[in-house]
Amino acid sequence: MSVVVNALLPVLLVIATGHLVARMGIITGEQWRGIERIAYFVLFPAIIIATVAQTDFMALPAFEMSATLVASVVAMAAIALALQPLLRRVFAIDGPRFTSVFQGATRWNTFVALAIADELLGADGVALLAVAIVAMVPLLNVICVLVLSHFTSGPAPGIRKILLDLIRNPFIWSTATGLFLNVTGLPLPRFAWSTLEILGSAALPIGIVCVGAGLDLNALRRPGPALTSALLLKLALMPVLGFGFATLMGVEGPAFTAVMIAMSVPSAGGSYLLARQMGGDAKLMAEILTLQTLAAAVTMPIALLVAV
C-alpha cells in the first residue's frame, strides 16, 4: 500500500499544483496552450525516443502486453456500443452525448500513465508504456473517429486525413524513431543523448501540471447517467478487463503493473478536442475528464494494489 501511495501522491500533488497555478492566473489560457504544445510535441517525444532507443525490448513481453491492451480496448468498445441503445432508450442519451461516454470509457491519459509508471517502475516503466502507446494510440484514434462520425452530425475525416493524423501523432513517430534507433543500433553522439535526456526530464512534470490546469471543477454538475456511465466503465470495468486479459496472456511482473496503470488512468485530454471538432458533446466530455481525474485518486490505488 505504501509503495502505491508514495508513487501516486507526488503525481496528484503536481496535478493540484497545476490547478492552483491556473486558478491564481499565474499562467493564463493561451499560455497554457503553448505549454501543452511544447510538452506534447517536444518534451514527451524526447523522453520516449531516449527510453525506447536504449531499452532491450527482447527482454520485455511486448507481444503479450500488446495483445492484452488491444483486447481490453476492443472489449470495452464493444461493451459501450452494446449499451448505447439502452442508454438512449432509458436515459435519453443522444448520439453526441454517447460519443463522450464512449471516449471517456475507452481512451487513456498518457501523461498521467507515464508519470505513474516512472514513479513506480523507473525507466523500464516508461519503456513498457511505450509498448502501450504503440498498441493503443492508433487503435483508439481510429475507433473514436469512426464512432463520432456515426453518432454525430460533425464532418467525418477521410482515410487520408486519419492516416496523416496518426503519422503526425508525436507519441507514434517518437516511438517509431526510438524503435528505429534501437533496431539499427545507429550511433548518436553523446551530446544528442544528453539533449534528449534534458528535454525528457522536463516532460513528466510539465505534462502533469498541464493536466491539473485543465481541470474545470466548476463544470461539474450533479452526476447524471452519462457522467456516471463513463466513470464506471473507465475506472471500474476497464481495470477488470485489463486484469483478466493480462492473466489470460500470462503477463507478469513490471509488465503487468504497466498494463494496470494504462487501464486505470482517466481518459485523455485530447478527447475534448476531438469532441469539439466532430460535433460531440464537448461540455459533457470536459465534465467526464474532470470527474475521472478526481475519482482516479481513489480508484487507481485500488487497481495498482493488485499489480504491485
Side-chain angles (χ1 to χ4, degrees):
M1 181 65 178
S2 63
V3 172
V4 174
V5 170
N6 287 333
L8 282 174
L9 191 56
V11 176
L12 296 173
L13 289 175
V14 174
I15 289 175
T17 300
H19 183 67
L20 182 62
V21 168
R23 288 295 300 271
M24 292 175 66
I26 298 173
I27 300 175
T28 56
E30 286 307 309
Q31 294 171 328
W32 280 116
R33 303 296 83 77
I35 294 172
E36 289 170 357
R37 288 180 67 81
I38 195 171
Y40 188 65
F41 287 104
V42 178
L43 303 181
F44 272 90
I47 193 175
I48 291 173
I49 291 171
T51 303
V52 172
Q54 300 177 82
T55 298
D56 181 10
F57 278 94
M58 296 301 292
L60 299 177
F63 174 79
E64 292 86 348
M65 267 191 72
S66 298
T68 295
L69 295 166
V70 168
S72 300
V73 168
V74 171
M76 176 56 74
I79 291 169
L81 289 170
L83 288 174
Q84 190 273 331
L86 177 66
L87 294 174
R88 184 189 68 242
R89 185 171 61 253
V90 177
F91 299 113
I93 296 175
D94 61 15
R97 289 178 68 75
F98 171 73
T99 62
S100 293
V101 173
F102 184 89
Q103 287 202 88
T106 56
R107 299 186 68 168
W108 64 309
N109 193 310
T110 318
F111 288 0
V112 174
L114 281 168
I116 292 174
D118 185 55
E119 287 286 338
L120 270 179
L121 304 172
D124 288 345
V126 178
L128 288 165
L129 260 292
V131 174
I133 289 167
V134 173
M136 295 170 69
V137 169
L139 176 64
L140 282 168
N141 274 270
V142 171
I143 289 176
C144 289
V145 165
L146 292 175
V147 167
L148 275 147
S149 66
H150 180 75
F151 287 101
T152 72
S153 56
I159 296 298
R160 182 173 180 274
K161 185 179 187 307
I162 293 174
L163 291 176
L164 284 175
D165 286 344
L166 291 177
I167 292 170
R168 293 168 180 162
N169 187 298
F171 289 105
I172 295 176
W173 63 252
S174 59
T175 302
T177 302
L179 286 172
F180 173 79
L181 293 173
N182 189 302
V183 171
T184 62
L186 188 67
L188 290 181
R190 179 59 198 166
F191 73 83
W193 292 117
S194 297
T195 301
L196 289 172
E197 288 168 6
I198 291 171
L199 290 171
S201 66
L204 297 180
I206 290 179
I208 299 305
V209 165
C210 289
V211 170
L215 293 180
D216 183 7
L217 301 183
N218 294 325
L220 287 180
R221 56 195 176 199
R222 185 175 181 178
L227 195 56
T228 304
S229 298
L231 182 72
L232 294 176
L233 289 172
K234 183 68 184 75
L235 298 185
L237 183 55
M238 184 65 101
V240 172
L241 292 175
F243 177 87
F245 284 114
T247 303
L248 186 64
M249 301 289 179
V251 179
E252 300 175 336
F256 182 78
T257 303
V259 166
M260 294 304 292
I261 291 171
M263 294 291 95
S264 60
V265 291
S267 190
S271 55
Y272 174 81
L273 299 176
L274 189 61
R276 193 167 57 185
Q277 174 188 332
M278 293 189 62
D281 191 328
K283 183 177 184 298
L284 174 62
M285 194 71 249
E287 294 172 358
I288 289 171
L289 293 174
T290 300
L291 184 58
Q292 284 188 355
T293 302
L294 296 174
V298 176
T299 60
M300 284 196 70
I302 297 172
L304 294 181
L305 275 175
V306 178
V308 175

